[in-house]
């Protein structure tokens, strides 16, 4: 007699009839492999660190932008036809204005919750771009852009620049006097492009500025074209994050071949869901208590007027600073007037962003590194990169000050000419000073780590030797701390190949190879980093401590983490 087990009848579970949800899940699994897909991915491990929340803040702010933007499109009328306002905001009654400006006033004063949604949309945009920039700086300083994450770095850069321009277009849509000043600023920058500037302006505005189709075109690009591209880039960005996972910091048990963290379900998803509501709640509080972009205080746009204290949102402030501090140079070239006072800042504007975005490829070219990196670096362990990033931030902040030179002058009772000249000189001097200072700080921290590895941690306990000498007792580091301080890679400077090959034939070298070798020596040579202690140096230090300390030093003979160069 044999024992047999019959399969349950279709549509029935082991304990009775299948529920409607189970039948739906079985139906989906039979067509798309839902169960196997979930089993392979929902338990995927992700490293966990507070800095990863910066990217999540950007993601959740973008979702809030989309949701609030959909609401606003129901009531906004992107037209430039002039109408006379008769609404709840009495000071503007009887004023001639565009449909775009009137509909924005109606959203603010007549639509229930409209002002809150408008301000939530604007605040979310500001936080979105801020979170993206800070997130990219975290990736930059920790070296998380290295292979295999170069594409994701470029996707993030594309999201940032698209977010900046979409934000600029968003606050230009209401057609108020402040946003119109910004559009006039952009029109002047386009006109400065030699030969084709006038044609570009006529193409964008449908004629002479301001034209009659600018707002409808701006609306289409703002709500359809750029968001569509951003959604595609965001999907690719998240897909690569899911595939590569986040970088993880150095620590015991962590390497380029494993991942230490928590599973996607249920831990990571539960934390992410709670964080989404936290971000949304904080943005809602900002929107409820902090007024932003009060267009009714500026009035409708008129080409013959300009607002006082006209300032763009912070992420476009450095472009304003470039224009304000640039001397008003004009030259005549082949019958064409070149407005260098505007055209040069127009060229420098993308160059500042590209300097940061292309640095990862510059570093890869210097090192010739082809390996994969899944471990984040401490900023101090790459002094030149950290110094470059700090110099870039200093330049950016300085130009923000230049963009608001009038506000700094009036608020702090300073000369606007003195501020302008300070920014002009600082544009060339400040990044160099910040670079040198940051590099020295990082190398000082590296020397401190080296001393801590070789001599242990200071305890603050002072003792006296029999011969009368006073010294401080150092406590040895545990193996986990030794590993964390020594397990990072230190690139070797690239060297030129031998002048002759194995047959004695002279080997030619190109000028790019010579430039690369010299830059690599400056970047990663003795002047660019402090060598890590080798295992032999550590053993000698331990032996010296045991001999000199006469029992007072508690340095244990434990091997230092593998030194990798």
């Amino acid at each position: 007699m044999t024992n047999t087990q019959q399969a349950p009848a279709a549509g029935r579970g082991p304990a009775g009839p299948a529920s409607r949800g189970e039948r739906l899940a079985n139906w989906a699994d039979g067509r798309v492999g839902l169960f196997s897909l979930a089993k392979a991915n929902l338990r995927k491990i992700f490293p966990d660190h507070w800095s990863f929340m910066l990217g999540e803040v950007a993601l959740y702010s973008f979702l809030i932008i989309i949701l609030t933007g959909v609401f606003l499109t129901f009531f906004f009328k992107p037209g430039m036809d002039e109408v006379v306002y008769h609404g709840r905001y009495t000071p503007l009654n009887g004023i001639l204005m565009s449909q775009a400006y009137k509909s924005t006033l109606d959203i603010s004063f007549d639509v229930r919750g409209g002002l809150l949604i408008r301000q939530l949309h604007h605040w979310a945009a500001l936080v979105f771009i801020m979170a993206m920039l800070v997130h990219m700086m975290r990736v930059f300083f920790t070296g998380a852009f290295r292979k295999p994450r170069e594409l994701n770095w470029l996707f993030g850069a594309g999201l940032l620049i698209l977010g900046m321009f979409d934000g600029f277009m968003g606050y230009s849509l209401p057609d108020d006097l402040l946003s119109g000043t910004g559009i006039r600023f952009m029109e002047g920058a386009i006109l400065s492009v030699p030969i084709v500037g006038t044609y570009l302006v006529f193409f964008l505005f449908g004629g002479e500025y301001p034209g009659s189709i600018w707002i409808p075109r701006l609306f289409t690009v703002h709500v359809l074209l750029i968001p569509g591209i951003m959604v595609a880039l965001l999907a690719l960005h998240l897909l690569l994050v899911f595939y590569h996972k986040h970088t993880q910091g150095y620590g015991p048990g962590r390497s380029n071949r494993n991942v230490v963290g928590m599973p996607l379900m249920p831990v990571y998803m539960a934390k992410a869901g709670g964080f989404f509501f936290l971000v949304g709640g904080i943005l809602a509080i900002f929107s409820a208590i902090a007024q932003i972009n009060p267009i009714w205080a500026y009035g409708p746009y008129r080409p013959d007027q300009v607002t006082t204290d006209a300032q763009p949102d912070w992420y476009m402030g450095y472009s304003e600073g470039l224009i304000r501090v640039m001397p008003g140079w004009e030259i005549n070239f082949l019958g064409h007037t070149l407005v260098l006072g505007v055209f040069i800042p127009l060229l420098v504007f993308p160059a500042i962003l590209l300097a940061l975005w292309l640095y990862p490829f510059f570093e890869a070219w210097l090192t010739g590194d082809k390996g994969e990196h899944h471990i984040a670096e401490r900023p101090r362990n790459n002094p030149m990169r950290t110094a470059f990033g700090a110099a870039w931030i200093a330049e950016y902040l300085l130009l923000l000050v230049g963009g608001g030179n009038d506000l700094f002058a009036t608020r702090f009772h300073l000369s606007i000419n003195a501020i302008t000249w300070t920014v002009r000189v600082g544009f060339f001097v400040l990044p160099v000073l910040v670079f040198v200072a940051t590099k020295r700080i990082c190398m000082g921290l590296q020397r401190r780590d080296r001393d801590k590895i070789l001599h242990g941690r200071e305890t603050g306990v002072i003792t006296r030797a029999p011969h009368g000498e006073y010294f401080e007792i150092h406590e040895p580091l545990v193996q986990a701390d030794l590993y964390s301080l020594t397990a990072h890679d230190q690139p070797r400077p690239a060297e030129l190949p031998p002048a002759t090959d194995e047959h004695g034939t002279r080997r030619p070298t190109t000028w790019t190879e010579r430039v690369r070798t010299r830059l690599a020596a400056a970047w990663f040579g003795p002047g660019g980093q402090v060598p890590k202690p080798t295992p032999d140096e550590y053993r000698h230090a331990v032996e010296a401590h045991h001999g000199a300390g006469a029992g007072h030093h508690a340095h244990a003979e434990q091997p230092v983490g593998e030194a990798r160069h």
Side-chain angles (χ1 to χ4, degrees), residues 524-545:
F524 303 112
Q529 60 185 358
V530 177
K532 296 186 301 182
T534 64
D536 289 339
E537 290 176 326
Y538 178 77
R539 283 191 290 269
H540 292 327
V542 170
E543 293 170 359
H545 286 166

Side-chain angles (χ1 to χ4, degrees), residues 236-409:
L236 292 173
H237 183 78
L238 294 177
L239 183 65
L240 288 179
V241 168
F242 190 82
Y243 178 68
H244 294 139
K245 295 175 285 296
H246 295 290
T247 53
Q248 56 184 351
Y250 274 115
R254 301 179 182 182
S255 69
N256 280 320
R257 298 179 296 274
N258 69 347
V259 180
V260 179
M262 295 182 296
L264 179 64
M265 284 289 290
V267 180
Y268 203 84
M269 289 299 293
K271 292 176 63 177
F275 194 56
F276 168 75
F277 289 107
L278 179 63
V279 172
I282 292 176
L283 287 176
I285 293 175
F286 283 174
S287 307
I289 65 176
Q291 179 176 270
I292 190 169
N293 197 22
I295 61 164
W296 52 88
Y298 309 134
Y301 176 66
R302 286 183 50 179
D304 60 335
Q305 293 183 357
V306 65
T307 58
T308 57
D309 292 349
Q311 303 290 328
D313 281 339
W314 70 268
Y315 49 86
M316 282 295 186
Y318 86 98
S319 62
E320 179 104 359
L322 286 169
I323 293 289
R324 292 194 182 192
V325 303
M326 180 70 190
W329 295 343
E330 289 187 7
I331 62 173
N332 188 280
F333 181 73
L334 299 178
H336 297 277
T337 300
L338 301 183
V339 187
L340 300 181
V342 180
F343 183 60
I344 291 179
L346 185 64
L347 297 179
V348 176
F349 171 78
I352 290 176
L353 298 177
L354 289 174
L356 184 73
W357 294 343
L358 297 181
Y359 176 85
F361 303 96
F362 169 74
E363 185 175 292
W365 176 67
L366 285 185
T367 60
D369 186 10
K370 305 297 182 183
E372 291 192 0
H373 300 274
H374 302 288
I375 303 294
E377 287 187 317
R378 300 172 77 193
R380 69 180 64 180
N381 290 332
N382 199 316
M384 301 298 280
R385 179 204 300 154
T386 303
F388 182 88
W392 187 90
I393 293 175
E395 188 78 280
Y396 194 94
L397 295 177
L398 180 70
L399 290 174
L400 286 182
V401 173
N405 56 359
D406 54 341
L407 295 182
F408 281 93

